[in-house]
Amino acid sequence: MNYLYDLWDDFISLLFPRLCHACGGHLLRNENLICTGCFVSIPRTNYHLQSENPVAQLFWGRCQIEKAAAFSYYSKGSRIRNLIHKLKYKGIKEIGPELGRIYAVSLKSSGFTSGIDVIIPVPLHASKKRSRGFNQSEFISAGIAEVAGLPIDTFSLVRGVSSDTQTHRSRYERWTNVDSIFQVTDPEAIRGKHILLVDDVITTGSTIESCVNELLKTEGVRVSVVAIGCAVV
Ligand SMILES: [Zn+2]
């Protein structure tokens, strides 16, 4: 039976080849989404092992962060960039939890996630979430939560426009403001908690900065940050 199954499996993969989302090469039967070659060769920053790393330094003087790290470097042509593009723009959602799980193994074993109470994915603006259909950071968070054994909160922090203050602004003003407005909907839900804020990519850090400053308005909140890619040098 196994032989017949394998034969059928090979036949199907001839017709519908399963390809690695990072390099485009063929996947072996035991590989899923990412080939072993890519898994091994994706460069790790190991920033979770050093407290004064470039991602943490990006926020110095901007907002109070406990710890910050990123899994890999987000550069042109990099495997991690290919993966994040497939996740965000081609809708291959399974890539999110897979990357989250891969990173969380290192985060957990190094103790980075100990003391964290809850994971909050960086919210997408509601209109973007509608057009994309999902928030990639929630999918990455799901993988981290699974490995680290932590809950996810997708309700307490939202992104959007507060209608009363926005209606009188010009279109340009609204455009520049819309992305940076975050609101805590239920301070009681996060009071006194150490939050792990999760994003897909950190570049300028301004989105994270806005989120953190909003979260810190609630008493006793501490925030740590992780992303899959960073474009910080
Ligand atoms: Zn590959």
Side-chain angles (χ1 to χ4, degrees):
M1 270 313 271
N2 272 347
Y3 169 74
L4 277 179
Y5 177 80
D6 287 352
L7 203 66
W8 174 249
D9 209 38
D10 287 343
F11 176 67
I12 291 294
S13 48
L14 265 179
L15 295 178
F16 308 103
R18 293 165 61 244
L19 303 178
C20 168
H21 289 292
C23 72
H26 285 261
L27 289 175
L28 299 176
R29 199 170 291 149
N30 61 344
E31 293 172 337
N32 184 34
L33 302 165
I34 306 169
C35 74
T36 310
C38 284
F39 175 79
V40 171
S41 56
I42 288 173
R44 271 70 165 171
T45 66
N46 284 322
Y47 287 165
H48 60 288
L49 302 176
Q50 358 158 354
S51 56
E52 298 192 353
N53 66 65
V55 173
Q57 287 178 20
L58 185 66
F59 299 103
W60 286 0
R62 296 168 70 184
C63 54
Q64 177 67 41
I65 282 177
E66 302 299 314
K67 295 182 274 190
F71 174 62
S72 186
Y73 308 94
Y74 189 80
S75 53
K76 213 174 169 191
S78 65
R79 289 175 168 91
I80 213 73
R81 192 168 184 270
N82 293 344
L83 288 165
I84 289 172
H85 269 239
K86 291 276 178 73
L87 165 64
K88 282 167 81 170
Y89 306 115
K90 303 282 181 196
I92 320 278
K93 295 177 200 162
E94 305 89 328
I95 293 172
E98 183 68 7
L99 288 173
R101 280 189 291 266
I102 291 171
Y103 193 21
V105 169
S106 309
L107 293 175
K108 193 182 181 200
S109 66
S110 67
F112 190 95
T113 49
S114 47
I116 302 280
D117 298 301
V118 64
I119 294 175
I120 295 189
V122 170
L124 271 192
H125 187 260
S127 65
K128 206 169 218 171
K129 192 169 177 180
R130 263 199 306 278
S131 61
R132 187 173 295 162
F134 66 100
N135 174 0
Q136 68 279 359
S137 297
E138 285 181 19
F139 280 77
I140 295 164
S141 296
I144 298 177
E146 183 188 322
V147 172
L150 290 167
I152 303 181
D153 177 348
T154 55
F155 301 102
S156 299
L157 183 69
V158 295
R159 182 180 202 154
V161 201
S162 58
S163 50
D164 52 331
T165 57
Q166 290 285 312
T167 31
H168 301 296
R169 296 182 189 207
S170 73
R171 243 174 85 177
Y172 176 74
E173 280 176 321
R174 269 184 277 153
W175 179 75
T176 52
N177 267 297
V178 88
D179 257 11
S180 57
I181 295 175
F182 292 93
Q183 285 173 323
V184 169
T185 56
D186 182 9
E188 282 311 312
I190 60 167
R191 190 179 306 277
K193 289 189 173 166
H194 186 174
I195 294 163
L196 182 64
L197 193 59
V198 174
D199 208 355
D200 55 343
V201 180
I202 294 177
T203 47
T204 64
S206 56
T207 308
I208 297 281
E209 182 186 349
S210 304
C211 284
V212 172
N213 285 328
E214 180 62 26
L215 290 167
L216 291 181
K217 288 178 188 167
T218 301
E219 192 192 357
V221 163
R222 291 177 298 144
V223 185
S224 289
V225 174
V226 289
I228 293 300
C230 69
V232 182
V233 278

